Amino acid sequence: MAATTTTILLLLVAATAASAADLSVYHNVHPPSPSPLESIIALARTDDARLLFLSSKAASSGGVTSAPVASGQTPPSYVVRAGLGTPVQQLLLALDTSADATWSHCAPCDTCPAGSRFIPASSSSYASLPCASDWCPLFDGQPCPASQDASAPLPTCAFSKPFADTAFQASLGSDTLRLGKDAIASYAFGCVGAVTGPTTNLPKQGLLGLGRGPMSLLSQTGSRYNGVFSYCLPSYRSYYFSGSLRLGAAGQPRNVRYTPLLTNPHRPSLYYVNVTGLSVGRTLVKVPAGSFAFDPATGAGTVIDSGTVITRWTAPVYAALSEEFRRQVAAPSGYTSLGAFDTCFNTDEVAAGGAPAVTLHMDGGVDLTLPMENTLIHSSATPLACLAMAEAPQNVNAVVNVVANLQQQNVRVVVDVAGSRVGFAREPCN
C-alpha cells in the first residue's frame, strides 16, 4: 500500500477507567467447546440464513454506558445483559448490528424457547402500543381494522417477523429498558407470544437491535448516545473475558482509525464500509477489477456484522485470497476441506509462525491486520488448522462481502453514525 497509508498496529487500548457505567463481564451459561475449530464449524452451519437476510435488497424498515457482552452458543453469537420493566427483569439479549427492532420472548408463550421470558403483567411501566401508534408501521405491524367501533379500544399493534429458519408473532409494547445504569423510558419493542418452526437458532431470550433504522436503539435514544456505540467481542475460546458494549461517544478509545460509513438505501440498517483490497503477509491479493465495489442497486459491497460467524468473500475475492494464502503456507501434503472451510492443512508440516497474516485495506487509509487467532483456527484434537474465512454461498449471497464476528474478536469496533464512520482498534477482550 502507499507509504502514506495509516496502518492499524495491534494497539492495546486500555479499558475505560472504572465508573458507575463500566460493568464487569461474564460468560454466557455454557463453557466453550474444547475444540474451537469444531465449535466454529457447528456455529457456521446457520450462517446461510443470516447471509440470506443480509443480501436481501428489500428495504428494512452523553455519558459512558457499558454493558457486558458474552459469547453465545447460537447465532447471533454474542449476548448482552439488559433489564426490562419495573421492577427490573434481567434478560440476555443477542447483540445484532444488522437488525433494528428489539424484541423479547414474553410470557405466556408455549412455543418460545425454554428459558427466561419477560412477563409484561409483572411490570408496572409496561404499556401495549395500539395499531394506531406511530411505531406500528415501523415494525411492519398490522393496520387497524377498517370497521373498528369508535367506542371500543384500539387493538394492540401485532406484527410477524422471520428469523433464520423460523418466524415469530409479536405484539408491540413499550417499557423501561436498562443498559448498565442507564434507564431508557418508554422503549418500543416486540413482545413475542408465538413461534412457528424450530427454535434452535432463535435467541433464547430476545434481541437488541443496534442497526441504523428508526426503531433501533440508536434512533430511540436520540441525543443520549448521539448515534455512537462500540463493541469488543471476546474469543470463542475464552471462558473469562472483558468484552463489552459501550454506548455514547464518551469513553471510546482514542487510538481508533476510521473508515467512511456507506449507506445503502435498499438496506439502510446495515453498516457498509468500502474495502479496497486484501493482503496476505506483505502481498496484495490480485482480484478482478471492481470486486469490492459498493453498489446500492445490487447490494454489493462489504458489511460489518456482529451476527454472522465467519467472514465470507464473494467467489472471485475468496478464490484469490485462498490461492495466495496457500502459496505462502506451502503445506507439503496440500489442503483439505472441513465444514465451511476449504483451506485446512497439517500444522505439523508447517513451521511455527508459518501462517501469514491477513490485512483488510479500507478507505481512509485504514489497514486492519487481523490477529492470528482471527485468521487461523486450530483443532485441539488433531494437528489441523484452517483459514478462518470462506466463499459466500452462491445460492444465498453472491454479491455481499461480510466481515463477521470471528474476525472481529479482540478488536474494538466503533460505530459513529452521526459522523458517518466506523473505526477499529485492537483491544484484549479475553
Side-chain angles (χ1 to χ4, degrees):
M1 301 299 290
T4 56
T5 298
T6 303
T7 300
I8 289 187
L9 302 176
L10 301 184
L11 298 169
L12 296 179
V13 182
T16 308
S19 67
D22 199 2
L23 305 181
S24 59
V25 219
Y26 57 93
H27 194 280
N28 185 34
V29 189
H30 301 295
S33 165
S35 177
L37 178 57
E38 284 71 18
S39 177
I40 295 300
I41 288 172
L43 288 169
R45 290 190 185 113
T46 58
D47 267 356
D48 279 8
R50 179 78 182 179
L51 294 168
L52 180 61
F53 160 69
L54 293 177
S55 63
S56 168
K57 290 189 293 179
S60 332
S61 309
V64 181
T65 291
S66 180
V69 174
S71 176
Q73 299 302 305
T74 55
S77 304
Y78 292 89
V79 293
V80 59
R81 174 175 248 175
L84 195 60
T86 307
V88 65
Q89 300 177 43
Q90 295 292 339
L91 296 169
L92 294 174
L93 302 181
L95 186 156
D96 197 337
T97 59
S98 296
D100 294 332
T102 294
W103 51 267
S104 170
H105 298 296
C106 293
C109 179
D110 295 336
T111 52
C112 290
S116 298
R117 297 171 191 171
F118 176 64
I119 307 173
S122 298
S123 174
S124 61
S125 49
Y126 179 80
S128 294
L129 295 181
C131 54
S133 165
D134 291 341
W135 287 110
C136 197
L138 297 179
F139 281 78
D140 293 326
Q142 297 174 5
C144 292
S147 58
Q148 175 72 29
D149 184 344
S151 62
L154 291 173
T156 299
C157 177
F159 66 97
S160 299
K161 185 176 179 63
F163 191 94
D165 51 359
T166 187
F168 62 76
Q169 293 75 50
S171 57
L172 191 60
S174 70
D175 209 332
T176 300
L177 175 67
R178 291 176 171 83
L179 297 171
K181 292 199 172 182
D182 282 5
I184 305 162
S186 302
Y187 192 87
F189 69 101
C191 211
V192 177
V195 175
T196 304
T199 61
T200 305
N201 299 319
L202 199 63
K204 301 305 179 189
Q205 298 182 19
L207 182 143
L208 181 66
L210 289 169
R212 305 165 69 180
M215 60 275 203
S216 71
L217 176 69
L218 292 183
S219 296
Q220 291 202 48
T221 53
S223 61
R224 181 191 289 264
Y225 302 129
N226 291 313
V228 177
F229 73 94
S230 73
Y231 58 89
C232 190
L233 304 179
S235 169
Y236 282 94
R237 299 183 301 171
S238 175
Y239 190 89
Y240 299 104
F241 51 80
S242 54
S244 69
L245 168 68
R246 190 171 296 152
L247 300 167
Q252 302 297 351
R254 295 182 179 180
N255 297 316
V256 182
R257 297 295 179 264
Y258 288 97
T259 189
L261 178 61
L262 307 178
T263 300
N264 180 347
H266 297 294
R267 297 295 284 149
S269 302
L270 303 185
Y271 295 108
Y272 275 89
V273 296
N274 191 33
V275 171
T276 57
L278 297 172
S279 288
V280 176
R282 296 183 178 180
T283 302
L284 184 65
V285 176
K286 296 179 180 179
V287 301
S291 294
F292 296 107
F294 173 62
D295 185 351
T298 64
T302 303
V303 171
I304 305 294
D305 180 49
S306 67
T308 308
V309 178
I310 60 175
T311 291
R312 309 292 181 121
W313 301 107
T314 56
V317 172
Y318 181 72
L321 172 67
S322 61
E323 179 182 5
E324 181 59 32
F325 186 87
R326 293 180 183 199
R327 185 188 70 79
Q328 293 190 32
V329 172
S333 297
Y335 301 88
T336 59
S337 297
L338 190 61
F341 305 124
D342 68 359
T343 304
C344 302
F345 58 94
N346 187 327
T347 54
D348 284 347
E349 299 179 346
V350 177
V358 173
T359 300
L360 281 63
H361 307 294
M362 293 176 254
D363 269 354
V366 172
D367 294 343
L368 178 61
T369 299
L370 299 178
M372 190 51 63
E373 72 165 350
N374 297 14
T375 302
L376 206 64
I377 188 159
H378 294 262
S379 169
S380 59
T382 59
L384 186 73
C386 301
L387 173 64
M389 301 178 189
E391 179 183 324
Q394 290 301 298
N395 61 337
V396 172
N397 176 34
V399 298
V400 184
N401 300 302
V402 181
V403 179
N405 61 47
L406 182 59
Q407 278 61 54
Q408 296 175 44
Q409 293 176 156
N410 292 313
V411 174
R412 170 77 53 184
V413 179
V414 183
V415 177
D416 180 359
V417 175
S420 296
R421 59 184 187 168
V422 179
F424 307 89
R426 185 71 190 279
E427 180 176 329
C429 296
N430 295 334

